[in-house]
Amino acid sequence: MIRKSYTFFPMAYPLLAVDLDGTLLDSRGRVPEANRRALRRARQAGCLVALCTGRGLTESRDAVEHLGHDGPLVLAGGAHVAEAPTGRTLHRVTIE
């Protein structure tokens, strides 16, 4: 396996939105160490990290807590945006 080394420059983007299932989490629902490091580096570079998922808040809680994530959560396919630490709704779109 060839390992690449990446140099991180100051963030060109203020927000990094990362999907949970199949992207950040592996097939067992765990976060590989390489993904943890990448998130940590993005935060250290000043980037706001948002976790995104089709799941609802309750179904996402374990993964969010496991990551120690304290940024925004984009839930239910974008219909609900919440604060990770409190679960407080920041934005919600309902079907009328």
Side-chain angles (χ1 to χ4, degrees):
M1 181 169 146
I2 298 173
R3 296 188 67 101
K4 293 182 179 181
S5 176
Y6 296 96
T7 303
F8 280 79
F9 297 98
M11 278 293 172
Y13 302 100
L15 174 70
L16 174 64
V18 183
D19 180 57
L20 283 180
D21 298 307
T23 303
L24 189 61
L25 303 178
D26 65 17
S27 60
R28 295 177 293 176
R30 298 183 185 153
V31 182
E33 186 55 37
N35 290 356
R36 287 180 185 281
R37 280 193 307 270
L39 290 178
R40 189 169 36 251
R41 290 172 116 174
R43 287 185 187 108
Q44 289 171 347
C47 191
L48 176 63
V49 176
L51 298 183
C52 306
T53 183
R55 302 179 191 192
L57 182 60
T58 302
E59 296 83 15
S60 304
R61 183 62 62 197
D62 286 343
V64 170
E65 288 176 359
H66 185 70
L67 281 166
H69 182 69
D70 63 355
L73 302 171
V74 180
L75 306 156
H80 183 197
V81 179
E83 290 180 336
T86 64
R88 182 174 72 96
T89 297
L90 302 173
H91 180 74
R92 181 181 298 260
V93 176
T94 58
I95 298 174
E96 295 181 24

